[in-house]
């Protein structure tokens, strides 16, 4: 190939350097590649669509690489891909619906870009997904209820976008979930009761929205919960005394709401 790399290469790790310039389309000729790490460099330009030719690719990591442009729809043809890291770049445009074709995907991290548009419902087809990081973008529309059908999901990070609508009650089906970060959006409505079914939850951060209603008493079932941030909403009623049952709770922020009544000891 023109970049002087043997065609039989299986792993190529160029991460954590000071590499610059445009990513060569000739990377697409390294068709035996299974692992490609380009992260933490200073490239400019876009992600070459020719990466779609790397049909054996399992792990593609290009986070914090100063990449611009869109996420190529062609990446949706990488049927063996398990890890896709594109966080911390300057990517724009929408999240390609074609990413829903990546049925082996376990870890999808697109945070800290300038992605806009909707969260694709096709992501609900990624039934092996454990990590979904879409935070720190400009995504709008509602949270797709189909995300509640990801049985192995551990992290759902949608914070710091422009998402609106209600929190889907279907998220109460994510029984393995450990992190639920929805803060700094434009969500309204009530906190779904069945969030209290997520017994593996360690963190709920849904502050800085426009949520109303009361704090569900079912949250007292979250015996592993360490962080509960509900501040800067429009929640009302009394603060449930049941929150005192959460033995692992280390951070409770309820400020800037409309709570009334007494503080339980």
């Amino acid at each position: 190939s023109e970049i002087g790399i043997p065609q039989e290469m299986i792993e190529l790790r160029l991460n954590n350097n000071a590499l610059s310039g445009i990513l060569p389309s000739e990377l697409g000729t390294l068709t035996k590649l299974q692992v490609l790490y380009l992260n933490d460099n200073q490239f400019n330009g876009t992600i070459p669509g020719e990466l779609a030719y790397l049909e054996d690719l399992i792990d593609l990591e290009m986070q914090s690489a100063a990449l611009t442009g869109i996420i190529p729809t062609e990446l949706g043809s990488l049927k063996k891909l398990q890890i896709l890291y594109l966080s911390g770049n300057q990517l724009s445009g929408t999240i390609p619906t074609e990413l829903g074709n990546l049925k082996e995907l376990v870890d999808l991290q697109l945070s800290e870009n300038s992605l806009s548009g909707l969260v694709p419902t096709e992501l609900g087809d990624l039934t092996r997904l454990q990590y979904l990081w879409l935070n720190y973008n400009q995504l709008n529309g509602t949270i797709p209820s189909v995300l509640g059908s990801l049985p192995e999901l551990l992290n759902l990070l949608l914070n710091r976008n422009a998402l609106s609508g209600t929190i889907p009650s279907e998220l109460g089906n994510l029984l393995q979930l450990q992190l639920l970060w929805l803060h700094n959006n434009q969500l309204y409505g009530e906190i779904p009761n069945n969030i209290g079914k997520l017994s593996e939850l360690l963190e709920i951060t849904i502050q800085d929205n426009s949520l109303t209603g009361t704090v569900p008493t079912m949250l007292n079932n979250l015996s592993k919960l360490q962080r509960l941030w509900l501040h800067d909403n429009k929640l009302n009623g009394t603060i449930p005394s049941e929150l005192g049952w959460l033995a692992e709770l280390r951070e409770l922020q309820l400020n800037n709401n409309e709570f009334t009544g007494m503080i339980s000891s």
Side-chain angles (χ1 to χ4, degrees):
S1 86
E2 293 180 26
I3 52 176
I5 295 173
Q7 296 288 304
E8 302 300 309
M9 182 82 67
I10 294 174
E11 295 194 10
L12 178 58
R13 302 178 189 236
L14 299 173
N15 52 302
N16 290 293
N17 281 292
L19 298 173
S20 58
I22 293 173
L23 288 178
S25 60
E26 290 81 9
L27 285 171
T29 66
L30 303 175
T31 54
K32 301 290 178 66
L33 270 186
Q34 297 177 17
V35 174
L36 178 57
Y37 288 3
L38 300 172
N39 53 290
D40 294 281
N41 279 294
Q42 299 163 22
F43 299 116
N44 51 57
T46 59
I47 300 170
E50 289 81 359
L51 293 181
Y53 298 132
L54 307 180
E55 295 181 355
D56 289 332
L57 203 60
I58 294 171
D59 188 350
L60 176 57
E61 304 195 12
M62 298 193 290
Q63 71 272 28
S64 302
L67 296 168
T68 57
I70 63 170
I71 299 173
T73 58
E74 294 92 334
L75 296 186
S77 65
L78 297 173
K79 296 291 172 51
K80 296 182 181 179
L81 200 64
Q82 296 178 18
I83 296 172
L84 177 58
Y85 291 173
L86 300 177
S87 295
N89 284 295
Q90 298 152 37
L91 300 172
S92 56
T94 59
I95 298 173
T97 58
E98 289 82 358
L99 295 186
N101 297 328
L102 303 177
K103 298 299 192 290
E104 299 299 315
L105 205 61
V106 173
D107 196 343
L108 176 60
Q109 299 188 14
L110 307 179
S111 50
E112 297 182 66
N113 281 291
S114 297
L115 299 170
S116 57
L118 305 178
V119 177
T121 56
E122 288 81 0
L123 297 183
D125 296 332
L126 303 177
T127 53
R128 297 194 60 202
L129 202 62
Q130 295 181 13
Y131 301 92
L132 180 57
W133 292 17
L134 305 181
N135 49 325
Y136 287 90
N137 279 293
Q138 298 162 22
L139 302 171
N140 55 43
T142 59
I143 299 173
S145 58
V146 71
L147 295 183
S149 62
L150 300 174
E152 300 183 21
L153 200 65
L154 300 175
N155 289 186
L156 179 57
L157 276 51
L158 300 176
N159 52 293
R160 292 193 180 272
N161 280 289
L163 298 170
S164 57
T166 59
I167 299 174
S169 61
E170 289 84 355
L171 298 187
N173 298 325
L174 300 174
L175 299 181
Q176 304 302 318
L177 198 66
Q178 296 176 353
L179 301 184
L180 178 60
W181 293 5
L182 304 178
H183 57 273
N184 292 88
N185 279 293
Q186 298 160 24
L187 303 172
Y188 53 80
E190 300 192 353
I191 301 171
N193 258 316
N194 57 1
I195 297 294
K197 293 172 14 185
L198 305 181
S199 58
E200 298 298 317
L201 267 181
L202 303 175
E203 298 185 8
I204 302 176
T205 64
I206 50 180
Q207 75 273 16
D208 287 290
N209 283 290
S210 296
L211 299 172
T212 55
T214 58
V215 177
T217 55
M218 277 189 69
L219 295 186
N220 72 324
N221 296 326
L222 304 178
S223 58
K224 298 182 181 179
L225 196 67
Q226 298 174 11
R227 175 181 291 173
L228 178 58
W229 288 4
L230 305 180
H231 57 87
D232 291 281
N233 280 291
K234 300 174 182 175
L235 300 170
N236 57 44
T238 58
I239 298 171
S241 59
E242 290 87 352
L243 294 181
W245 303 354
L246 300 176
E248 299 300 318
L249 195 63
R250 298 294 178 264
E251 299 180 25
L252 175 62
Q253 297 196 18
L254 303 176
N255 47 297
N256 296 321
N257 279 291
E258 299 170 7
F259 293 119
T260 56
M262 309 284 285
I263 298 175
S264 303
S265 58

